[in-house]
Amino acid sequence: MTNVAVINYGPKLDYPAMFPDAAGHLQVFSHHELRNTEGLGRYEYVKDCEAVPYAELMIRRLAREKPFTHIITDNEYDLERCARMREDLGIPGQSSASALSFRDKVVMKEVASRTVATARFARLEAFTDLTDFIEECDYPVVVKPVKQGGSRDIVVLRGEDDLLAFSRRLWREDLMVEEFIEGQMYHVDAVLADGYRFVASSRYLRSCLGVFSGHNNGSLQLRPEEKFARRLEEFFDRVLEAFDTPEASAYHLEVFHTPEDELVLCEIASRVGGDRIPALTRATYGVDLHTAVLRQSCGLPVDPPPAEPPAEVHGSVSILPQGRPVRAPGRPPFDWVHHYEVNEQLAPDAVTFYSASHLCFVIVRGADSAQVEERLYEAEAWLMENLEEIPAS
């Protein structure tokens, strides 16, 4: 009998809808309060779930009463603890070593460099490791935590003044440095399992780091039959050749396309891509990435991915928090707008903390990536022009 422990992160995931045939066998511990929890075997909202060990303790206690057949999560930051529990409890799934290789960016690049090109990199045990790396590789360089996501806490050092400013910041014990790679960034999003393969390629509208300079963030899908999309998929396959991969997993790969026409790995994660990626994938392919990977991780069937190219592709752009009291406008007046959403949880004068920070976002459709890109810029311009200043009270 199936008995599944779930550490949930997605605030909008609907487990009874995703698991209509097994909802009563799901024991869900959630980072966020979920709306539809009726029919679940157990549901508990855990405040600060990512930072406290309560969910892990409870799963281990529940396993004494009734062993779990699967332990799953949709959250990158829970991959390692779920892997540890599976190993301790003798449950199949991603191993701790595999989870670490996708979580720790130094280990990730050490593994991936066996089969593909990566930026030069080093773990920073001390500040002198950073200055030695700069002396060898020169500026610019990128300094970031080895297990952080969403472009959080990333710093680009372009010269001595930046290094001096960085030296005044509190030192962290979890940092790495890598050379700065010039080029357009693409992402590949996939779900792979026995007898199941879904792979889709997209291009970021702008650099993810651009949000910290006030540039709105977004991405647009490539048509799967495009030559470059096939090239990205082949690169993705070569990356995975270097890793110990679970039987069923989602992947989010980020890759640079350099001016010299080289593909260079940025990062790869063994989880569903964030931001608008799941919504874009549903709109174009009818594939729900979370449902596809979580069900297959429990040995449950899913509908096969589409065999034919889609009729249209989609893209999204998110308008950043403006750091001043503004109100997002209504839906842009274009018939090619697929979806528009305002972040009602955002404080009026909020600022950008990570790449997915947004005041509002729009999803548009088009025949190909060129048309989608044109429409994204048009929608973005309309939204920026129609932001409404909130008068001081």
Short mmCIF file of all heavy atoms in Angstrom, two decimals, residues 12 30 36 64 113 138 140 240 242-243 251-252 256 268 279 288 297 299 330-331 341 345 355 382:
data_model
loop_
_atom_site.label_atom_id
_atom_site.label_comp_id
_atom_site.label_asym_id
_atom_site.label_seq_id
_atom_site.Cartn_x
_atom_site.Cartn_y
_atom_site.Cartn_z
N LYS A 12 0.81 27.08 -4.18
CA LYS A 12 -0.41 26.87 -4.96
C LYS A 12 -0.59 25.43 -5.41
O LYS A 12 -1.51 25.13 -6.17
CB LYS A 12 -0.40 27.78 -6.19
CG LYS A 12 -0.44 29.27 -5.85
CD LYS A 12 -0.51 30.13 -7.10
CE LYS A 12 -0.57 31.61 -6.76
NZ LYS A 12 -0.65 32.45 -7.98
N SER A 30 3.89 21.30 5.05
CA SER A 30 3.97 22.37 4.06
C SER A 30 4.61 23.64 4.59
O SER A 30 4.34 24.08 5.71
CB SER A 30 2.56 22.70 3.54
OG SER A 30 2.62 23.70 2.55
N ASN A 36 -6.46 23.73 -0.68
CA ASN A 36 -7.24 22.50 -0.82
C ASN A 36 -6.48 21.35 -0.17
O ASN A 36 -5.52 20.83 -0.74
CB ASN A 36 -7.50 22.19 -2.29
CG ASN A 36 -8.38 20.97 -2.47
OD1 ASN A 36 -9.04 20.53 -1.54
ND2 ASN A 36 -8.39 20.42 -3.67
N ARG A 64 7.65 4.91 12.03
CA ARG A 64 7.66 3.80 12.99
C ARG A 64 6.29 3.12 13.05
O ARG A 64 6.19 1.91 13.25
CB ARG A 64 8.03 4.31 14.39
CG ARG A 64 9.41 4.93 14.51
CD ARG A 64 9.58 5.53 15.89
NE ARG A 64 10.75 6.38 15.99
CZ ARG A 64 10.95 7.25 16.97
NH1 ARG A 64 10.04 7.35 17.94
NH2 ARG A 64 12.02 8.01 16.98
N SER A 113 31.98 19.01 -15.18
CA SER A 113 33.15 19.30 -16.01
C SER A 113 33.74 18.04 -16.64
O SER A 113 34.61 18.13 -17.52
CB SER A 113 34.22 20.02 -15.18
OG SER A 113 34.67 19.21 -14.11
N ASP A 138 41.69 37.00 -13.41
CA ASP A 138 41.38 38.41 -13.69
C ASP A 138 39.89 38.68 -13.50
O ASP A 138 39.08 37.77 -13.35
CB ASP A 138 41.85 38.80 -15.08
CG ASP A 138 42.11 40.30 -15.20
OD1 ASP A 138 41.90 41.04 -14.22
OD2 ASP A 138 42.54 40.75 -16.29
N PRO A 140 36.13 40.23 -14.81
CA PRO A 140 35.22 40.16 -13.66
C PRO A 140 35.07 38.73 -13.16
O PRO A 140 35.31 37.77 -13.89
CB PRO A 140 33.90 40.68 -14.24
CG PRO A 140 33.96 40.30 -15.69
CD PRO A 140 35.40 40.41 -16.08
N LEU A 240 23.95 15.40 -18.00
CA LEU A 240 23.42 14.33 -17.12
C LEU A 240 24.26 13.07 -17.17
O LEU A 240 24.23 12.27 -16.22
CB LEU A 240 21.98 14.01 -17.48
CG LEU A 240 20.91 15.03 -17.06
CD1 LEU A 240 19.52 14.44 -17.25
CD2 LEU A 240 21.08 15.46 -15.60
N ALA A 242 27.21 12.82 -16.64
CA ALA A 242 28.22 12.88 -15.57
C ALA A 242 27.64 12.63 -14.19
O ALA A 242 28.39 12.39 -13.24
CB ALA A 242 28.90 14.25 -15.60
N PHE A 243 26.31 12.67 -14.06
CA PHE A 243 25.68 12.62 -12.74
C PHE A 243 25.04 11.27 -12.43
O PHE A 243 24.63 10.54 -13.32
CB PHE A 243 24.59 13.71 -12.65
CG PHE A 243 25.12 15.11 -12.51
CD1 PHE A 243 25.52 15.81 -13.64
CD2 PHE A 243 25.22 15.72 -11.28
CE1 PHE A 243 26.01 17.10 -13.53
CE2 PHE A 243 25.70 17.01 -11.16
CZ PHE A 243 26.10 17.71 -12.29
N TYR A 251 14.45 18.47 -13.92
CA TYR A 251 15.74 19.16 -14.03
C TYR A 251 15.53 20.58 -14.55
O TYR A 251 14.65 20.83 -15.38
CB TYR A 251 16.68 18.42 -14.96
CG TYR A 251 17.00 17.02 -14.51
CD1 TYR A 251 16.30 15.93 -15.02
CD2 TYR A 251 17.97 16.79 -13.53
CE1 TYR A 251 16.56 14.64 -14.59
CE2 TYR A 251 18.24 15.49 -13.10
CZ TYR A 251 17.54 14.43 -13.62
OH TYR A 251 17.79 13.16 -13.18
N HIS A 252 16.35 21.48 -14.03
CA HIS A 252 16.38 22.86 -14.52
C HIS A 252 17.83 23.20 -14.79
O HIS A 252 18.64 23.30 -13.86
CB HIS A 252 15.77 23.81 -13.49
CG HIS A 252 15.86 25.25 -13.87
ND1 HIS A 252 15.19 25.78 -14.96
CD2 HIS A 252 16.55 26.30 -13.32
CE1 HIS A 252 15.46 27.07 -15.06
NE2 HIS A 252 16.28 27.41 -14.07
N PHE A 256 25.11 29.09 -20.72
CA PHE A 256 25.52 30.27 -21.47
C PHE A 256 25.80 29.90 -22.93
O PHE A 256 26.42 28.86 -23.20
CB PHE A 256 26.80 30.88 -20.88
CG PHE A 256 26.65 31.41 -19.48
CD1 PHE A 256 27.16 30.70 -18.41
CD2 PHE A 256 26.01 32.62 -19.24
CE1 PHE A 256 27.04 31.18 -17.12
CE2 PHE A 256 25.88 33.11 -17.95
CZ PHE A 256 26.40 32.39 -16.89
N ILE A 268 22.89 23.34 -12.92
CA ILE A 268 21.80 22.40 -13.14
C ILE A 268 21.25 21.99 -11.78
O ILE A 268 22.01 21.77 -10.83
CB ILE A 268 22.22 21.17 -13.96
CG1 ILE A 268 20.99 20.29 -14.25
CG2 ILE A 268 23.34 20.38 -13.28
CD1 ILE A 268 21.24 19.19 -15.25
N ALA A 279 4.09 27.50 -15.36
CA ALA A 279 2.92 28.06 -16.04
C ALA A 279 3.14 28.11 -17.54
O ALA A 279 2.23 27.81 -18.33
CB ALA A 279 2.62 29.46 -15.50
N ASP A 288 2.06 19.51 -16.74
CA ASP A 288 2.28 20.08 -15.42
C ASP A 288 3.54 19.42 -14.85
O ASP A 288 3.54 18.23 -14.52
CB ASP A 288 1.08 19.82 -14.51
CG ASP A 288 1.23 20.51 -13.16
OD1 ASP A 288 2.04 20.04 -12.35
OD2 ASP A 288 0.55 21.53 -12.93
N SER A 297 7.66 9.89 -9.26
CA SER A 297 8.54 9.58 -8.13
C SER A 297 7.88 8.62 -7.16
O SER A 297 8.55 7.97 -6.36
CB SER A 297 8.93 10.88 -7.41
OG SER A 297 9.70 11.71 -8.24
N GLY A 299 5.85 6.21 -8.36
CA GLY A 299 5.49 5.04 -9.16
C GLY A 299 4.09 5.08 -9.72
O GLY A 299 3.55 4.04 -10.10
N GLY A 330 -4.12 47.36 -14.58
CA GLY A 330 -4.95 46.23 -14.96
C GLY A 330 -4.31 45.43 -16.07
O GLY A 330 -3.19 45.71 -16.52
N ARG A 331 -5.04 44.44 -16.56
CA ARG A 331 -4.54 43.55 -17.60
C ARG A 331 -4.20 44.33 -18.87
O ARG A 331 -4.99 45.16 -19.33
CB ARG A 331 -5.62 42.50 -17.92
CG ARG A 331 -5.20 41.44 -18.93
CD ARG A 331 -6.40 40.54 -19.25
NE ARG A 331 -6.07 39.53 -20.24
CZ ARG A 331 -5.76 38.28 -19.96
NH1 ARG A 331 -5.71 37.89 -18.70
NH2 ARG A 331 -5.48 37.40 -20.92
N GLU A 341 -1.13 38.62 -13.86
CA GLU A 341 -1.34 38.43 -12.43
C GLU A 341 -0.57 39.48 -11.64
O GLU A 341 0.58 39.81 -11.96
CB GLU A 341 -0.87 37.03 -12.02
CG GLU A 341 -1.24 36.64 -10.62
CD GLU A 341 -0.95 35.16 -10.36
OE1 GLU A 341 -1.32 34.31 -11.21
OE2 GLU A 341 -0.36 34.86 -9.30
N GLN A 345 0.48 40.14 -2.45
CA GLN A 345 1.17 40.01 -1.17
C GLN A 345 2.32 41.01 -1.01
O GLN A 345 2.93 41.09 0.06
CB GLN A 345 1.73 38.59 -1.01
CG GLN A 345 0.70 37.49 -1.21
CD GLN A 345 -0.47 37.60 -0.26
OE1 GLN A 345 -0.27 37.81 0.93
NE2 GLN A 345 -1.68 37.45 -0.77
N SER A 355 15.72 36.98 -7.93
CA SER A 355 15.35 37.11 -9.35
C SER A 355 13.87 36.93 -9.61
O SER A 355 13.36 37.38 -10.63
CB SER A 355 16.14 36.10 -10.19
OG SER A 355 15.87 34.77 -9.79
N TRP A 382 3.99 48.77 -21.88
CA TRP A 382 2.65 49.22 -21.48
C TRP A 382 2.51 49.19 -19.96
O TRP A 382 1.98 50.13 -19.36
CB TRP A 382 1.59 48.34 -22.13
CG TRP A 382 0.20 48.84 -21.91
CD1 TRP A 382 -0.52 49.70 -22.68
CD2 TRP A 382 -0.64 48.53 -20.78
NE1 TRP A 382 -1.76 49.95 -22.13
CE2 TRP A 382 -1.86 49.24 -20.95
CE3 TRP A 382 -0.49 47.73 -19.66
CZ2 TRP A 382 -2.91 49.17 -20.05
CZ3 TRP A 382 -1.54 47.66 -18.74
CH2 TRP A 382 -2.73 48.37 -18.93
#
